[in-house]
Amino acid sequence: MNFSIVVFPGSNCDEDMVYALREILGQKVNKVFHKETSLPQNTDCVIVPGGFSYGDYLRSGAIARFSPIMSAIQQHAQKGGLVWGICNGFQILTEAGLLEGVLLKNNHQKYSCKNIYLKPATKNTLLTQHLSLEKTYKIPIAHGDGRFYADGNTLKSLQDNEQILFYYADNQGIVNENTNPNGSLLNIAGICNKSKNVFGMMPHPERASDERSGNIDGKTLFLSFLGQ
Amino acid sequence: MTTLETAQKLGLLPEEFEKIKEILGKIPNFTELSAYSVMWSEHCSYKNSIVWLKKLPKKSARILAEAGQENAGLVDIGDGLACAFKIESHNHPSALEPYQGAATGVGGINRDIFTMGARPIAQMNTLRFGDIKNEKTKHLLKGVVKGIGDYGNAFGIPTVAGELYFDECYQVNPLVNAFSAGIVDINKTASAIAFGVGNPVFIVGSATGKDGIHGAAFASKDITEDSAKDLPSVQVGDPFQEKLLLEATLEIIDKNLVIGVQDMGAAGIICSTAEMSAKGESGMIIDLDKVPLRQHNMQAWEILLSESQERMLVVGIKGKENEIQEVFEKWDLHAVQIGEVTDTKRLEFYQHKEKVADMPAESLVLGGGAPIYHREYKEPTYFQEYKKFDINQVNEPKTETEFQKIVRFLLSSPNICSRRWVYEQYDSMVGTANLSINKPSDAGVVLIKNQQGESMDKAIVISVDCNGRYVYANPKIGAMIAVCESARNVVCAGGEPVAITNNLNFGNPYHHEVYWHFVESIQGIIESCEALETPVTGGNVSFYNQYQTQNEKGETITKPVFPTPTIGMLGLMDNLENHTSLAFSAVGDLIYLVGEPKNDISSSEYLYAYHQIKASPTPDFDLQNEVSLQKTIKKLIQEKMIISAHDISDGGLFVTLVESALVNQLGFEVKKEERFSSIRSDAFWFGESQSRVVVSVKPNNKENFEKSCQAYFLGKVAKENFVVGTQIWISTQEANDLYQNTLAKLIEG
């Protein structure tokens, strides 16, 4: 697959994503600076990586959505192209209206970086197609604004259309208040759009992809996305 | 026109004012006098410490930049790569404004690294606060941790290790030391130098404001009731700007557009222009009207001294001006040419077309005209008193209930329990190189990637250590222990110690007893570093860490913090297979003690906090034993004899065992063998005598292991519960709750 990784001023997980996709998964990767107005022609999937775009001043992702590259990403998504936002990338995609809901400050008001367990909610998306609904996946989170929120109608349509990708769980797959690291509604850790070509998630699969780190559950997510 | 009175108000001594007049051949104007006052402050000139710092061992085959030569130490790590690393304090700003004080400390230390062309890959910090039950302490701790987190997280460099201690001596004056390490291609390093007549001088990054003026001078005086008036001395940080500055700076260095780069930290433009010119035996002519300002009507001295953050001074190559500006434009940053290099060796500053200051660059800097003082020192009376401690002053606990009580006390001691509340607020994984997340070890292990982002199958191994209580009890031995513990942590994680950076936090150097702390500590560092062959690559001296309080008679007295020379150790791991966890891994594995147990509880958390006995010497320590212990552990790791290694420090053997067991929620069954009958049980389990490591071994490897080293069998890894002899001292579940959750409960209630 051809990946284009967007670099905003303040992105800091862009290199990690290049490393995971190119070095570990052997994919073709281009970095695209936010001042560009078009994507490389052969782009299959746009990655909006983590970080603190524009310092996350004002509100996470709120300024990045106005970057020149964003209209090219919008068009790519409208044509059915793949877009995957992780952490700050997820926040930017909700700000840009490519994904529903918002990401609020964590309920405990603190930034939080640690391993958590994800329980897939559906196998009916590209990203989760080869994951097991019976298993949990250890993936790190690292965010201050990760509390997913949406109004009742939106939440219901997310559920009805199988747009919820992952729940925060424990290693046994229990999904409840105790396994919720940030206060997200229903423990939601990631969602996709209705047409299932735009994905957003707070946890960082690229941080769990190198064997030497002792955890390759993130690589399993990438492999599922790649259809392997 | 200035007078002696003006000079004294700026913190200069009468003899220093005389010297300035002599250098300039006239009475300095206010701008010039201000420049000397900051450049000759302790913070910039090391005038009260340099005599002793020069004695530190500086050389080894790996050292590329010796202490004092560049913004940070530079060490050859093979494969054409070098590691730049350094530790620096931001104690005084953090005392007044914990959030910004700590944040700008993180910003400053990272600029020191990337100004050398190195991309930072790992950070650590070491923090000291007063009594955790005090509301002020909670305020300071929350602010400092959030400041470090917000800055480091957004900047995008993982925090991989650290230290946190509480003691009432740090109540008013907390210690906040930040460490950063970066990797650079040996052929792409940048220097803090200016030369070549006509080469352009740029100021890049943020605009200059009135924040942080006299910050360096502020750092060089006691914290008092009036310190709040110094609030403008505290700078404000912007990690987003710093991230852009990092990318742009590395890009201009990579494209060979520059002669030299220096971070603008303490003492701002005056410091960078002076140090870069002096190093290159050049001068500069600078037009202050061209400096981008945040506010109107800034005086020349304010522009020169401003410590506004996220700025650099860049000396470019003539003819490359446009290319430099293009890079900074790409990153939406200022890059404004404010002057050029001259051959006059003088700094000439102009404002509104008039010359406002003219000084020889060399006269301002350390190693040049800056004064050097030999300070007097005297052994304090408490020192001999502390040595008189006898273990028999304390009744040996005998009953199961007593031991259960002690164990609960220690596992919930704020100096021992898990620092999870702190470190989860730091991004520890960005860069996908931290190998200690899923395999926790005594030191941070961080994979090295080269400039192309390819991983090198080797790692840096870093640790930061100092027990101030030990150093107070005996500054020389305490400092030796600090160096050795940082090395021991690196060794236990599977690394080879290479070099140190130190942050020397002491009280007022004019106090003879404080200066004795300093001198003795330096001697301890020298001895340990020589024995371990880990030279000192630089660091930072922070004096004036003390506070005013009232004695019983109601008189105001000044008390210093514990002398706290924190040591940041850089180690290397050439073979990632050597990475060793501190965690027990399987039920039935055998547990051994490597190193000699001693009948010693001196300066332990057990003696100091549980028994509230503060007067005792340092724990038992012998440098040669330490060196041979570290050799043994290295050999055991290389020969794959052991599953885990965890060094014994705060809380002693029992706490070490618990920490190894809790990672995988296991237990243990151990006992104190008959042969140790001369050692009291409390000393055996809770004493902090040095040079000991707990290792675990696979049962089928028992014979090989026992043949390969001298070690004492303690017991076995068990499914749950911490059992000593036949008694359960605590369950795994209860220990886990106390160890993991105490800090959060103490801070958040």
Side-chain angles (χ1 to χ4, degrees):
Chain A
M1 217 179 252
N2 279 298
F3 287 90
S4 289
I5 298 175
V6 185
V7 182
F8 293 100
S11 292
N12 62 31
C13 303
D14 46 328
E15 278 303 321
D16 297 351
M17 197 50 93
V18 172
Y19 184 74
L21 288 171
R22 183 187 284 159
E23 306 291 324
I24 298 171
L25 291 141
Q27 302 301 303
K28 293 206 177 83
V29 177
N30 280 305
K31 279 175 61 164
V32 182
F33 201 56
H34 71 115
K35 289 182 180 174
E36 302 284 331
T37 50
S38 63
L39 292 164
Q41 268 198 339
N42 52 4
T43 301
D44 298 309
C45 177
V46 176
I47 298 273
V48 189
F52 289 75
S53 56
Y54 296 92
D56 277 351
Y57 298 141
L58 183 59
R59 193 173 65 240
S60 296
I63 305 177
R65 63 169 284 218
F66 295 109
S67 261
I69 193 65
M70 283 310 289
S71 45
I73 295 175
Q74 296 266 11
Q75 284 167 18
H76 175 78
Q78 272 156 20
K79 285 188 288 184
L82 299 170
V83 180
W84 186 358
I86 288 157
C87 199
N88 193 225
F90 185 14
Q91 294 160 344
I92 293 167
L93 295 179
T94 60
E95 287 287 338
L98 282 166
L99 288 171
E100 293 158 282
V102 290
L103 294 144
L104 304 174
K105 201 165 202 33
N106 294 347
N107 57 350
H108 48 77
Q109 305 295 312
K110 293 194 298 290
Y111 181 95
S112 179
C113 174
K114 60 184 179 182
N115 279 324
I116 52 88
Y117 292 89
L118 286 185
K119 185 179 166 67
T122 173
K123 284 173 70 90
N124 205 10
T125 74
L126 191 67
L127 172 52
T128 56
Q129 57 182 331
H130 293 300
L131 303 180
S132 164
L133 299 181
E134 311 307 316
K135 279 194 191 163
T136 59
Y137 298 84
K138 182 163 88 171
I139 312 283
I141 54 166
H143 59 246
D145 301 336
R147 175 158 56 109
F148 182 80
Y149 179 81
D151 62 49
N153 290 337
T154 309
L155 201 60
K156 184 162 185 323
S157 79
L158 288 174
Q159 287 175 301
D160 291 348
N161 298 317
E162 280 193 79
Q163 286 172 249
I164 299 169
L165 300 170
F166 303 105
Y167 298 114
Y168 295 109
D170 66 5
N171 60 353
Q172 303 300 312
I174 309 280
V175 176
N176 63 24
E177 209 178 302
N178 296 332
T179 65
N180 191 334
N182 52 29
S184 289
L185 281 183
L186 304 178
N187 283 41
I188 290 173
I191 58 165
C192 61
N193 64 347
K194 249 183 207 149
S195 12
K196 298 190 168 53
N197 63 320
V198 179
F199 305 86
M201 60 191 287
M202 289 312 294
H204 288 268
E206 79 279 12
R207 295 184 178 191
S209 295
D210 190 339
E211 275 179 20
R212 290 166 297 193
S213 76
N215 176 15
I216 54 165
D217 282 5
K219 187 177 170 188
T220 312
L221 265 61
F222 285 117
L223 288 172
S224 175
F225 188 80
L226 293 165
Q228 293 167 23
Chain B
M1 194 66 75
T2 60
T3 61
L4 174 60
E5 202 189 343
T6 333
Q8 284 178 316
K9 273 189 186 158
L10 291 173
L12 288 161
L13 300 171
E15 62 261 39
E16 290 170 343
F17 185 57
E18 286 306 312
K19 195 170 169 191
I20 294 164
K21 284 195 283 188
E22 198 180 302
I23 289 166
L24 297 179
K26 61 163 194 164
I27 295 172
N29 65 31
F30 186 75
T31 306
E32 290 158 343
L33 192 64
S34 293
Y36 281 99
S37 78
V38 289
M39 289 304 294
W40 289 6
S41 72
E42 181 63 33
H43 195 78
C44 291
S45 75
Y46 295 94
K47 61 188 171 189
N48 290 313
S49 55
I50 190 66
V51 175
W52 290 96
L53 298 179
K54 282 194 166 171
K55 297 177 195 284
L56 292 166
K58 291 189 177 66
K59 290 187 192 302
S60 88
R62 287 186 184 273
I63 302 292
L64 299 172
E66 282 181 22
Q69 284 180 339
E70 293 290 350
N71 282 304
L74 195 66
V75 172
D76 187 342
I77 56 169
D79 296 317
L81 299 176
C83 178
F85 73 111
K86 191 182 176 186
I87 193 167
E88 199 163 83
S89 66
H90 247 214
N91 303 337
H92 288 187
S94 304
L96 292 197
E97 215 296 45
Y99 179 84
Q100 292 295 351
T104 51
V106 172
I109 191 63
N110 279 301
R111 279 196 302 284
D112 277 337
I113 302 306
F114 69 78
T115 195
M116 298 183 69
R119 183 176 282 277
I121 64 164
Q123 311 183 83
M124 303 190 283
N125 54 71
T126 120
L127 312 177
R128 305 283 186 291
F129 296 94
D131 178 5
I132 194 173
K133 298 205 172 78
N134 184 295
E135 287 307 314
K136 177 81 183 293
T137 301
K138 292 178 196 178
H139 161 75
L140 291 173
L141 175 61
K142 283 181 189 170
V144 164
V145 170
K146 189 163 168 49
I148 291 172
D150 281 1
Y151 203 102
N153 298 346
F155 184 52
I157 309 303
T159 300
V160 303
E163 252 199 332
L164 171 64
Y165 279 101
F166 299 93
D167 190 283
E168 56 195 12
C169 75
Y170 304 110
Q171 192 67 48
V172 176
N173 192 138
L175 301 185
V176 176
N177 298 173
F179 170 105
S180 180
I183 302 295
V184 56
D185 192 322
I186 282 185
N187 300 316
K188 293 272 184 192
T189 59
S191 180
I193 194 166
F195 58 79
V197 174
N199 277 327
V201 178
F202 288 90
I203 187 164
V204 305
S206 295
T208 299
K210 289 188 180 179
D211 46 334
I213 292 170
H214 279 298
F218 164 56
S220 306
K221 63 182 186 185
D222 293 351
I223 293 269
T224 65
E225 285 295 314
D226 289 337
S227 293
K229 291 181 194 151
D230 284 326
L231 206 52
S233 302
V234 180
Q235 315 87 343
V236 178
D238 181 348
F240 173 59
Q241 290 289 315
E242 174 111 333
K243 168 72 174 159
L244 302 181
L245 193 57
L246 162 74
E247 299 301 338
T249 304
L250 292 184
E251 199 169 322
I252 54 166
I253 294 169
D254 187 56
K255 288 181 170 165
N256 296 318
L257 305 177
V258 297
I259 299 288
V261 190
Q262 180 160 348
D263 149 47
M264 266 185 253
I269 295 176
I270 186 61
C271 184
S272 302
T273 52
E275 290 186 355
M276 290 180 84
S277 300
K279 190 176 169 78
E281 297 182 4
S282 305
M284 284 183 193
I285 184 159
I286 302 284
D287 182 356
L288 295 176
D289 293 333
K290 293 196 171 142
V291 176
L293 299 179
R294 283 185 195 160
Q295 48 215 115
H296 297 297
N297 301 324
M298 280 181 73
Q299 305 289 315
W301 66 272
E302 291 175 315
I303 300 172
L304 285 183
L305 269 57
S306 163
E307 295 185 9
S308 288
Q309 298 288 291
E310 292 90 26
R311 298 178 303 156
M312 295 273 201
L313 197 72
V314 173
V315 176
I317 296 170
K318 197 170 171 60
K320 306 273 188 189
E321 291 88 346
N322 290 342
E323 283 177 72
I324 292 172
Q325 264 154 345
E326 275 166 26
V327 170
F328 282 92
E329 263 167 41
K330 172 182 163 191
W331 293 103
D332 302 322
L333 290 170
H334 288 294
V336 179
Q337 187 179 340
I338 58 169
E340 60 182 47
V341 178
T342 64
D343 60 4
T344 61
K345 299 188 182 179
R346 297 184 77 84
L347 298 176
E348 298 164 80
F349 294 99
Y350 285 82
Q351 191 183 34
H352 314 317
K353 310 263 184 272
E354 276 180 34
K355 191 185 270 193
V356 289
D358 185 348
M359 302 158 282
E362 177 88 8
S363 71
L364 289 155
V365 304
L366 162 67
I372 292 175
Y373 298 122
H374 291 260
R375 291 275 160 238
E376 285 177 48
Y377 52 92
K378 186 182 100 194
E379 182 183 297
T381 47
Y382 79 84
F383 180 57
Q384 295 303 333
E385 285 301 310
Y386 271 40
K387 286 184 175 171
K388 292 179 188 158
F389 172 76
D390 179 348
I391 192 170
N392 295 318
Q393 286 169 237
V394 176
N395 289 330
E396 185 180 357
K398 297 283 184 204
T399 67
E400 187 177 344
T401 326
E402 276 178 281
F403 282 106
Q404 288 171 340
K405 193 175 155 204
I406 295 165
V407 163
R408 278 163 185 75
F409 179 88
L410 290 178
L411 291 176
S412 50
S413 153
N415 284 333
I416 287 176
C417 67
S418 166
R419 274 77 187 96
R420 193 168 63 104
W421 182 89
V422 173
Y423 68 70
E424 283 186 356
Q425 295 187 57
Y426 303 147
D427 191 339
S428 53
M429 302 188 220
V430 61
T432 64
N434 183 353
L435 303 184
S436 300
I437 295 294
N438 299 303
K439 194 173 185 180
S441 35
D442 276 358
V445 180
V446 184
L447 195 63
I448 298 166
K449 295 177 183 174
N450 67 12
Q451 231 85 340
Q452 287 74 46
E454 296 153 349
S455 109
M456 304 300 290
D457 261 327
K458 57 202 251 182
I460 59 166
V461 187
I462 51 179
S463 179
V464 61
D465 294 280
C466 180
N467 186 321
R469 183 196 305 156
Y470 297 173
V471 187
Y472 185 73
N474 184 327
K476 185 173 171 194
I477 294 176
M480 288 168 88
I481 290 175
V483 174
C484 289
E485 187 183 351
S486 65
R488 201 185 315 137
N489 283 333
V490 165
V491 166
C492 286
E496 171 77 33
V498 168
I500 72 160
T501 174
N502 55 21
N503 204 135
L504 306 171
N505 305 282
F506 291 85
N508 184 329
Y510 293 86
H511 288 220
H512 299 173
E513 297 183 353
V514 166
Y515 208 70
W516 180 82
H517 286 155
F518 176 73
V519 171
E520 288 286 304
S521 296
I522 291 281
Q523 286 169 344
I525 293 171
I526 292 171
E527 279 191 35
S528 280
C529 284
E530 282 174 350
L532 297 169
E533 296 173 46
T534 53
V536 182
T537 61
N540 175 239
V541 177
S542 172
F543 283 134
Y544 307 94
N545 292 293
Q546 44 192 26
Y547 59 99
Q548 289 177 326
T549 183
Q550 293 196 323
N551 67 9
E552 309 85 57
K553 294 178 201 157
E555 298 158 345
T556 301
I557 53 163
T558 303
K559 291 181 80 170
V561 301
F562 282 158
T564 313
T566 55
I567 306 296
M569 179 67 75
L570 173 74
L572 273 182
M573 190 185 287
D574 280 326
N575 179 354
L576 294 182
E577 285 185 6
N578 288 339
H579 183 187
T580 302
S581 173
L582 66 84
F584 295 153
S585 79
V587 173
D589 283 359
L590 311 177
I591 306 169
Y592 289 86
L593 170 67
V594 185
E596 293 296 319
K598 293 275 157 62
N599 193 38
D600 170 34
I601 55 172
S602 293
S603 282
S604 63
E605 185 73 12
Y606 164 70
L607 181 68
Y608 189 86
Y610 184 79
H611 287 292
Q612 303 264 320
I613 294 179
K614 312 221 157 170
S616 71
T618 45
D620 186 273
F621 174 77
D622 178 90
L623 187 55
Q624 282 320 307
N625 286 346
E626 176 71 35
V627 171
S628 74
L629 172 91
Q630 291 189 18
K631 275 191 187 143
T632 304
I633 299 293
K634 273 186 231 172
K635 179 166 153 283
L636 290 171
I637 289 173
Q638 279 157 10
E639 292 174 354
K640 300 191 175 17
M641 287 288 170
I642 53 178
I643 299 297
S644 69
H646 189 18
D647 115 280
I648 297 178
S649 61
D650 308 73
L653 172 59
F654 188 83
V655 167
T656 306
L657 289 164
V658 170
E659 287 174 341
S660 288
L662 282 183
V663 177
N664 294 313
Q665 299 293 304
L666 293 164
F668 55 72
E669 289 164 10
V670 294
K671 64 175 184 181
K672 171 171 168 262
E673 290 191 341
E674 269 307 305
R675 71 169 107 179
F676 300 128
S677 57
S678 65
I679 297 173
R680 288 167 43 144
S681 291
D682 53 353
F684 189 81
W685 297 112
F686 313 124
E688 295 178 14
S689 69
Q690 294 294 297
S691 314
R692 296 179 297 150
V693 174
V694 167
V695 302
S696 66
V697 174
K698 281 283 163 211
N700 61 13
N701 203 25
K702 182 173 191 287
E703 277 183 29
N704 283 337
F705 171 78
E706 287 180 355
K707 260 185 263 167
S708 71
C709 72
Q710 162 83 10
Y712 303 108
F713 180 68
L714 291 171
K716 291 179 180 179
V717 178
K719 189 157 170 286
E720 58 197 351
N721 296 335
F722 300 132
V723 180
V724 176
T726 55
Q727 303 166 347
I728 298 179
W729 281 7
I730 191 166
S731 71
T732 299
Q733 201 189 348
E734 191 189 350
N736 194 57
D737 180 48
L738 291 178
Y739 186 76
Q740 297 290 354
N741 300 325
T742 295
L743 201 58
K745 281 181 191 155
L746 286 170
I747 297 165
E748 296 187 341

